[in-house]
Amino acid sequence: MTTTARAPLGAPARARFDVERVRADFPLLQQRVADGRPLVYLDNAATTQKPRQVIDAISRFYSEDNANIHRGVYDLCERATRLYEGSRIRTARFVNAGDDREIVFVRGTTEGVNLVAQSFCKPRLAAGDEVLVSAMEHHSNIVPWQLICGEKGARLRVIPMNERGELVLDGLDALLGPRTRMVAVGHVSNALGTINPVKEIVARAHAKGIPVLVDGAQALPHLRVDVRDLGCDFYAASGHKVFGPTGIGFLYGTLEHLEAMPPYQGGGDMIRSVSFAGTTYAPPPARFEAGTPNIAGAVGMAAALEYVAALDWEAVVAHEADLLAHATQALAAVPGLRIIGTAAEKVGVVSFVLEGAHAHDVGTIVDQDGVAVRTGHHCAQPVMEFFGIPATARASFAFYNTHAEVDALASAVARVREVLG
Ligand code: PLP
């Protein structure tokens, strides 16, 4: 895992993470709900809250800089274009891509995976070929591959996991067979919190010449991601999971792959020239950004990455590990509660079931105490099936969560069986 500090090397010993100072940047977290209790927002794996800096960047863009990009010669257009392309450079730097042309703006992780499935993988797929995913994937990293496998008569195969929710890699070399055309694996599981050893998976797949896409939706807010260190061919992520806006994300792809890929969608801005006799396409990344993109979204996402990059990352990592340890201990002490997903390497996600209570009841009852957790299958139905459960309640933390909020969660959950009688 790549969780190195963002602070400069040789910096003096750090103070504790100042969570209250950071919370002050997030207006939404200041609100009160449920009879005046403070909101305890623990659904960060679904979406994160936005700091003032992101909200202001979007507002400023629309107040001062809004114009369509790439198509005008007037100053405002050039300014908007500079902001959009500057966001690409910021994003490339954040994940240590070697070239900003390796960053394609998309709607989010889902679109990034679909783009790779349709444009990169499908043309290479024939009947009898295989695509390999893992047992803990989000539906967004399953269904796009099923669609192309179904179309081409190819087969989806699955890296298994164990009862702790860790991938079992003993049989990986056998799964990486002569017909494997692609590996697609999540960096961090949204349902379990498991951090997968993606660098090792990439190395083992590459040893056989098989390309790898990493679904980074849940990794970006918790881990320092370095796409070149991971060595992956593609890395997909969503802005809204990393304190940025919805409707924007990015796909990292090596220039070599992107240059060889046909367009994903046709339209404005992705062409070099168009005539009724035929069309030639722009080089990447424009080739994959047909139509007017989410310009303000890109600006907002870049502001979010800027915000995260400025945090003392070592302190963030320590704070989140502390929240996870505290939540695990406090929830495990609730009678009848079972934690689903106990991997040795985890981010701050605690999924659980409570004997005698449906997950939705848990969610509804803790909400009365102002505690927001997600309940359901978390778009990972195969994970639920593996554990033989229909749903879990899931608390997922961000760096702005506090010890006191974990305590509020634990006491709200402890109250559930009382309420249900
Ligand atoms: N992959 C994982 C692991 C996720 O957790 C999610 C969203 O929860 C996605 C993919 C899809 O992300 P989006 O809906 O932003 O495209």
Side-chain angles (χ1 to χ4, degrees):
M1 112 187 170
T2 45
T3 51
T4 49
R6 286 193 172 95
L9 285 173
R14 290 144 217 292
R16 277 171 66 82
F17 184 63
D18 189 349
V19 67
E20 290 307 330
R21 194 188 58 73
V22 166
R23 282 179 76 81
D25 289 335
F26 290 79
L28 186 138
L29 298 178
Q30 316 306 324
Q31 70 186 266
R32 292 189 170 262
V33 291
D35 299 334
R37 291 167 204 250
L39 168 70
V40 177
Y41 184 76
L42 302 178
D43 196 14
N44 294 288
T47 199
T48 51
Q49 300 305 338
K50 322 306 171 196
R52 172 73 64 203
Q53 290 81 343
V54 168
I55 298 166
D56 286 351
I58 296 167
S59 171
R60 196 163 49 243
F61 175 78
Y62 281 126
S63 306
E64 298 172 17
D65 303 311
N66 178 53
N68 209 333
I69 53 166
H70 294 154
R71 293 193 258 270
V73 290
Y74 54 92
D75 177 66
L76 190 61
C77 170
E78 284 177 8
R79 210 186 312 149
T81 303
R82 261 199 313 278
L83 282 168
Y84 182 73
E85 292 303 332
S87 302
R88 195 188 307 282
I89 293 167
R90 172 71 258 181
T91 307
R93 207 179 305 144
F94 191 80
V95 295
N96 198 31
D99 190 309
D100 59 278
R101 291 172 297 169
E102 295 181 319
I103 299 295
V104 178
F105 286 129
V106 289
R107 278 190 297 127
T109 309
T110 303
E111 189 176 37
V113 176
N114 276 280
L115 195 165
V116 175
Q118 292 293 330
S119 179
F120 176 79
C121 193
K122 194 165 92 173
R124 298 161 167 239
L125 217 52
D129 283 346
E130 295 171 357
V131 173
L132 186 61
V133 297
S134 94
M136 64 178 80
E137 296 311 316
H138 186 280
H139 297 165
S140 289
N141 201 26
I142 299 173
V143 184
W145 307 110
Q146 281 176 327
L147 285 170
I148 59 167
C149 284
E151 224 177 289
K152 294 292 195 126
R155 184 154 77 112
L156 193 70
R157 301 198 68 191
V158 181
I159 305 169
M161 68 175 164
N162 64 24
E163 287 291 329
R164 291 189 299 278
E166 294 164 327
L167 292 184
V168 178
L169 297 183
D170 302 350
L172 180 63
D173 292 331
L175 280 169
L176 295 166
R179 303 304 301 266
T180 313
R181 296 288 168 259
M182 186 85 210
V183 175
V185 65
H187 200 165
V188 169
S189 158
N190 67 312
L192 305 168
T194 312
I195 302 169
N196 288 321
V198 285
K199 187 172 175 178
E200 178 189 345
I201 294 170
V202 169
R204 287 167 72 173
H206 280 186
K208 298 189 173 186
I210 301 164
V212 181
L213 172 138
V214 178
D215 168 353
Q218 296 294 339
L220 223 54
H222 303 291
L223 306 181
R224 174 110 166 95
V225 172
D226 180 333
V227 289
R228 280 191 286 174
D229 180 58
L230 292 176
C232 56
D233 299 270
F234 299 99
Y235 196 97
S238 303
H240 72 102
K241 308 271 192 202
V242 63
F243 317 102
T246 50
I248 186 74
F250 67 88
L251 172 72
Y252 158 82
T254 63
L255 208 49
E256 187 192 346
H257 285 325
L258 292 177
E259 277 172 346
M261 284 159 58
Y264 172 51
Q265 294 176 331
D269 236 23
M270 50 73 74
I271 54 92
R272 200 189 293 277
S273 74
V274 177
S275 78
F276 288 116
T279 291
T280 56
Y281 306 118
R287 185 185 302 167
F288 304 104
E289 295 180 3
T292 300
N294 184 352
I295 309 164
V299 169
M301 180 168 71
L305 300 182
E306 199 87 56
Y307 182 88
V308 173
L311 295 171
D312 176 345
W313 197 246
E314 252 178 56
V316 166
V317 169
H319 175 67
E320 289 194 8
D322 181 51
L323 289 176
L324 174 63
H326 183 42
T328 304
Q329 196 179 28
L331 288 173
V334 174
L337 188 144
R338 178 176 149 226
I339 292 176
I340 305 294
T342 52
E345 295 279 354
K346 271 184 79 169
V347 301
V349 170
V350 185
S351 261
F352 59 93
V353 289
L354 190 60
E355 212 176 280
H358 191 279
H360 291 319
D361 293 332
V362 174
T364 306
I365 292 168
V366 303
D367 180 51
Q368 291 164 1
D369 289 345
V371 178
V373 297
R374 178 123 322 217
T375 58
H377 54 62
H378 316 296
C379 293
Q381 284 184 332
V383 172
M384 301 297 122
E385 200 180 320
F386 175 85
F387 286 100
I389 51 177
T392 71
R394 180 191 70 186
S396 53
F397 305 102
F399 52 69
Y400 47 57
N401 289 124
T402 66
H403 245 240
E405 289 182 315
V406 172
D407 292 337
L409 166 73
S411 56
V413 172
R415 214 170 58 79
V416 169
R417 294 216 298 188
E418 251 172 63
V419 173
L420 290 175

